[in-house]
């Protein structure tokens, strides 16, 4: 705290510690004697405050310490008034935020590194899976030709091997397509728009028509809201969750209900089924790529559907989770931004 002539009236203990001086070498002495190399910028700031202004700056980079290390301060300077109401001098508050600024810069650098490595990985997954399709098509094609030209001529075990080649190739095609989809969630994304969730759901049901008929499933939804997002991707979420509800069923016909309620600034959707359920210890595992709880013989699949849902929902700044009772059914919840 200084008077109008910039002579010190008070300083905090912390200030003395920071500048390494004794109180009696400061009080009553001029600020400009103590800091003779004070820049013009500060002189101007002090002049303005002594005329009644308040000045301040957050994360102000000040001239570096003598050893060259950078320093940042949050500071504020306010005028104080005497009994007559005139400006009697100024009070300056300083906060050394160098550690916070350096930590923030490090965090920004890490985020940039992560974004770069993430996009490189996505690009790699895309290129690798795209390029793998070509030789795989050749394998599948040759297996098909072998079967049609030489089927029933090479003996039973040769026929079996040929059919294994065909099955393996088509499974791998399925995996590659799923991986391609995952790698394209961000790279091939459409901009967000208003999406009627009823329409997105109907589009999903259209794609699942044959499966719904075959399983005699009953699927209910009414009055779903408008959300903000990528139309195709939102439909994809419904499609993956509903197709799982139909796939992981019990003997009885599948019952699926889709509801939404508003929670804070987003819509929380619930897709509930009466299927086989999922034990609690697997609730997190199933969102990982290729994480399955069943063999291919029990239930076909590649273990990518839920990973894809999670990635799409995260692109929409939402979350996905579930509740389930083994043998009774599962409800998947997810949030999407409101329109
Ligand atoms: P996939 O269905 O191809 O295996 P998903 O990623 O869609 O891959 O699902 C991962 C696993 O989660 C499934 O293998 C299954 O064990 C379990 N699962 C998903 N949805 C349901 C559901 N509605 N009911 C029971 N289990 C489910």
């Amino acid at each position: 705290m200084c008077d109008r002539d910039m002579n010190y009236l008070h300083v905090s203990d912390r200030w003395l510690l920071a500048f390494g001086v004794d109180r009696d070498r400061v009080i009553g002495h001029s600020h400009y004697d103590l800091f003779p190399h004070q820049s013009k910028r500060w002189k101007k700031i002090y002049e303005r405050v002594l005329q009644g202004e308040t000045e301040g700056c957050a994360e102000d980079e000040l001239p570096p310490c003598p050893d060259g290390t950078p320093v940042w301060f949050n500071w504020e300077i306010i005028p104080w008034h005497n009994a007559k109401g005139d400006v009697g001098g100024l009070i300056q508050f300083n906060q050394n935020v160098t550690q916070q600024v350096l930590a923030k810069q490090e965090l920004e650098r890490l985020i940039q590194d992560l974004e770069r490595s993430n996009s490189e990985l996505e690009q790699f997954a895309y290129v690798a899976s795209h390029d793998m399709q070509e030789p795989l098509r050749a394998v599948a094609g040759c297996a098909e030709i072998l079967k049609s030209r030489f089927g029933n001529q090479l003996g039973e075990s040769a026929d079996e091997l040929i059919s294994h080649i065909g099955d393996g190739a088509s499974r791998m095609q399925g995996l590659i397509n799923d991986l391609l989809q995952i790698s394209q969630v961000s790279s091939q994304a459409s901009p967000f728009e208003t999406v009627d969730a009823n329409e997105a759901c109907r589009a999903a049901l259209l794609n699942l028509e044959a499966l719904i008929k075959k399983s005699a499933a009953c699927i209910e939804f009414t009055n779903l809201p408008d959300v903000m997002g990528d139309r195709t991707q939102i439909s994809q979420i419904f499609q993956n969750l509903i197709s799982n509800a139909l796939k992981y069923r019990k003997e009885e016909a599948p019952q699926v209900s889709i509801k939404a309620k508003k929670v804070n600034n987003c819509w929380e959707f619930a897709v509930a089924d009466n299927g086989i359920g999922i034990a609690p210890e697997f609730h997190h595992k199933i969102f990982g790529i290729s994480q399955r709880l069943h063999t291919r013989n029990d239930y076909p699949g590649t273990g990518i559907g839920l990973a894809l849902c999670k990635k799409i929902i995260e692109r929409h700044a939402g979350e996905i989770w579930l509740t389930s009772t083994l043998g009774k059914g599962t409800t998947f919840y997810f949030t999407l931004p409101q329109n």
Side-chain angles (χ1 to χ4, degrees):
M1 179 180 184
C2 293
D3 64 16
R4 287 200 63 89
D5 301 320
M6 291 301 289
N7 290 323
Y8 279 94
L9 300 175
H10 296 288
V11 287
S12 67
D13 291 341
R14 187 68 188 81
W15 188 97
L16 293 170
L17 199 70
F19 288 97
V21 279
D22 291 335
R23 187 173 293 275
D24 36 323
R25 286 204 39 219
V26 178
I27 304 302
H29 293 273
S30 155
H31 173 75
Y32 296 113
D33 288 344
L34 278 167
F35 300 98
H37 304 299
Q38 189 85 84
S39 68
K40 273 193 193 138
R41 175 191 176 213
W42 284 103
K43 283 184 189 157
K44 286 213 166 103
I45 291 170
Y46 294 137
E47 277 166 21
R48 283 199 296 273
V49 177
L50 291 172
Q51 278 160 20
E53 302 284 317
T54 290
E55 298 270 328
C57 187
E59 293 179 5
D60 192 10
E61 186 170 5
L62 300 182
C65 299
D67 65 359
T69 46
V71 275
W72 284 267
F73 270 79
N74 288 348
W75 58 262
E76 189 178 18
I77 311 176
I78 57 170
W80 62 266
H81 298 88
N82 58 23
K84 284 196 276 172
D86 299 329
V87 174
L90 56 80
I91 307 175
Q92 176 162 358
F93 304 92
N94 297 321
Q95 187 187 16
N96 187 337
V97 287
T98 306
Q99 293 307 322
Q100 290 93 312
V101 170
L102 288 175
K104 209 162 89 176
Q105 286 178 350
E106 176 66 4
L107 199 68
E108 274 160 16
R109 196 184 58 74
L110 285 173
I111 290 172
Q112 274 174 9
D113 279 359
L114 266 177
E115 277 171 353
R116 203 189 48 241
S117 97
N118 207 20
S119 95
E120 277 170 9
L121 265 176
E122 270 175 9
Q123 223 177 330
F124 169 75
Y126 175 76
V127 171
S129 40
H130 187 263
D131 291 358
M132 274 193 288
Q133 279 179 327
E134 185 55 39
L136 195 60
R137 263 197 293 271
V139 173
C142 287
E144 199 50 46
I145 293 169
L146 269 176
K147 193 173 160 191
S148 64
R149 281 207 204 147
F150 302 104
N152 300 326
Q153 293 177 41
L154 302 172
E156 215 172 283
S157 51
D159 285 348
E160 209 175 303
L161 284 174
I162 293 170
S163 106
H164 279 333
I165 297 174
D167 285 354
S170 76
R171 262 206 336 272
M172 194 145 168
Q173 259 158 351
L175 267 172
I176 286 175
N177 283 339
D178 286 350
L179 281 175
L180 264 175
Q181 280 197 51
I182 290 225
S183 73
Q184 289 173 334
V185 168
S186 317
S187 60
Q188 304 272 302
S190 308
F192 285 6
E193 56 182 323
T194 301
V195 178
D196 175 352
N198 300 286
E199 270 173 32
C201 212
R202 272 194 286 273
L205 295 182
L206 213 60
N207 288 338
L208 296 171
E209 211 173 1
L211 197 63
I212 295 170
K213 269 204 185 118
K214 199 172 147 209
S215 59
C218 168
I219 298 170
E220 287 177 350
F221 67 95
T222 40
N223 283 335
L224 296 180
D226 281 353
V227 291
M228 229 12 218
D230 180 321
R231 187 176 298 277
T232 318
Q233 292 187 342
I234 290 174
S235 194
Q236 179 87 58
I237 302 171
F238 284 119
Q239 185 168 326
N240 289 5
L241 294 181
I242 298 169
S243 78
N244 276 351
L246 304 184
K247 184 165 37 163
Y248 300 102
R249 58 176 286 193
K250 294 184 298 200
E251 284 277 298
E252 63 203 82
Q255 300 263 354
V256 186
S257 98
I258 303 153
K259 291 185 180 137
K261 67 173 180 184
K262 202 160 180 184
V263 177
N264 301 326
N265 287 336
C266 50
W267 285 102
E268 182 185 293
F269 288 84
V271 179
D273 66 45
N274 61 340
I276 58 174
I278 305 170
E281 61 267 35
F282 299 122
H283 286 193
H284 281 289
K285 189 179 166 191
I286 54 173
F287 292 104
I289 292 177
S290 266
Q291 297 293 333
R292 310 200 66 226
L293 307 180
H294 305 96
T295 64
R296 253 182 299 116
N297 292 336
D298 293 338
Y299 297 94
T302 51
I304 283 177
L306 288 178
L308 187 63
C309 286
K310 186 164 186 267
K311 197 152 185 224
I312 292 174
I313 290 162
E314 282 170 356
R315 180 180 168 232
H316 288 75
E319 282 178 86
I320 179 165
W321 69 100
L322 66 138
T323 57
S324 183
T325 311
L326 258 186
K328 286 218 162 131
T330 305
T331 304
F332 279 93
Y333 299 90
F334 62 92
T335 54
L336 289 175
Q338 67 177 348
N339 181 31

